[in-house]
C-alpha cells in the first residue's frame, strides 16, 4: 500500500518538476512626435577693400576704404592668404592693400579671410 501511494505521488509530481516554463517579455516603446520646422538661412559674403591701418593678429584689423576706416574682429577661423591662396604667416603691415571677406550685418561681421593684394 505504501508503494502504491508513493508511486501515485511521484506520478503526479513528476510532470510539474519537468515542466517547461515560458517567459513572456513585453517591451514598451514611447515615441514623441514633434512638429519639424525648416528654416532656410541665406548668407552672403561681402568684402571691403582698402589699406591696413592697424592689425592685431587674432584680434582686430582696421582697414581704410573709400568710406573711411572699418574695424573687423578676427576670430580663430579667419585666414590671411595671398593672391595664390597660400597662407600668409607674416603679420600684416600698415599700408598693405587687402580685401577683407566677411559675413553678417555691420554689428556682427564675421571675417572669413583676408586677401593680401600686394
Amino acid at each position: 500500500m505504501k508503494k502504491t501511494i508513493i508511486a501515485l505521488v511521484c506520478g503526479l509530481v513528476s510532470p510539474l518538476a519537468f515542466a517547461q516554463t515560458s517567459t513572456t517579455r513585453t517591451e514598451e516603446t514611447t515615441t514623441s512626435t514633434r512638429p519639424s520646422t525648416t528654416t532656410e538661412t541665406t548668407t552672403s559674403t561681402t568684402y571691403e577693400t582698402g589699406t591696413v591701418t592697424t592689425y592685431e593678429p587674432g584680434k582686430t584689423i582696421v582697414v581704410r576704404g573709400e568710406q573711411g576706416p572699418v574695424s573687423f574682429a578676427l576670430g580663430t577661423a579667419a585666414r590671411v592668404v595671398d593672391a595664390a591662396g597660400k597662407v600668409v604667416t607674416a603679420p600684416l603691415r600698415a599700408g598693405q592693400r587687402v580685401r577683407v571677406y566677411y559675413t553678417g550685418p555691420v554689428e556682427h561681421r564675421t571675417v572669413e579671410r583676408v586677401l593680401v593684394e600686394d
Side-chain angles (χ1 to χ4, degrees), residues 44-80 92 96-115:
S44 61
T45 302
T46 312
Y47 66 88
E48 182 75 32
T49 304
T51 57
V52 176
T53 57
T54 47
Y55 173 69
E56 292 180 59
K59 294 182 181 179
T60 59
I61 183 171
V62 179
V63 177
R64 178 174 295 282
E66 294 176 3
Q67 300 174 356
V70 181
S71 177
F72 298 94
L74 297 172
T76 56
R79 298 175 295 138
V80 179
L92 298 175
Q96 278 185 302
R97 285 223 26 99
V98 293
R99 182 177 288 187
V100 180
Y101 290 89
Y102 64 93
T103 58
V106 174
E107 305 85 35
H108 304 290
R109 290 183 286 227
T110 304
V111 175
E112 292 181 350
R113 72 174 185 230
V114 177
L115 175 70

Side-chain angles (χ1 to χ4, degrees), residues 17-96:
F18 296 109
Q20 183 177 358
T21 59
S22 64
T23 304
T24 304
R25 184 175 178 177
T26 305
E27 191 171 310
E28 187 175 326
T29 306
T30 305
T31 306
S32 64
T33 308
R34 294 182 184 160
S36 63
T37 57
T38 304
T39 305
E40 186 175 316
T41 306
T42 325
T43 57
S44 61
T45 302
T46 312
Y47 66 88
E48 182 75 32
T49 304
T51 57
V52 176
T53 57
T54 47
Y55 173 69
E56 292 180 59
K59 294 182 181 179
T60 59
I61 183 171
V62 179
V63 177
R64 178 174 295 282
E66 294 176 3
Q67 300 174 356
V70 181
S71 177
F72 298 94
L74 297 172
T76 56
R79 298 175 295 138
V80 179
V81 296
D82 61 8
K86 295 181 182 176
V87 176
V88 175
T89 56
L92 298 175
R93 301 178 321 271
Q96 278 185 302

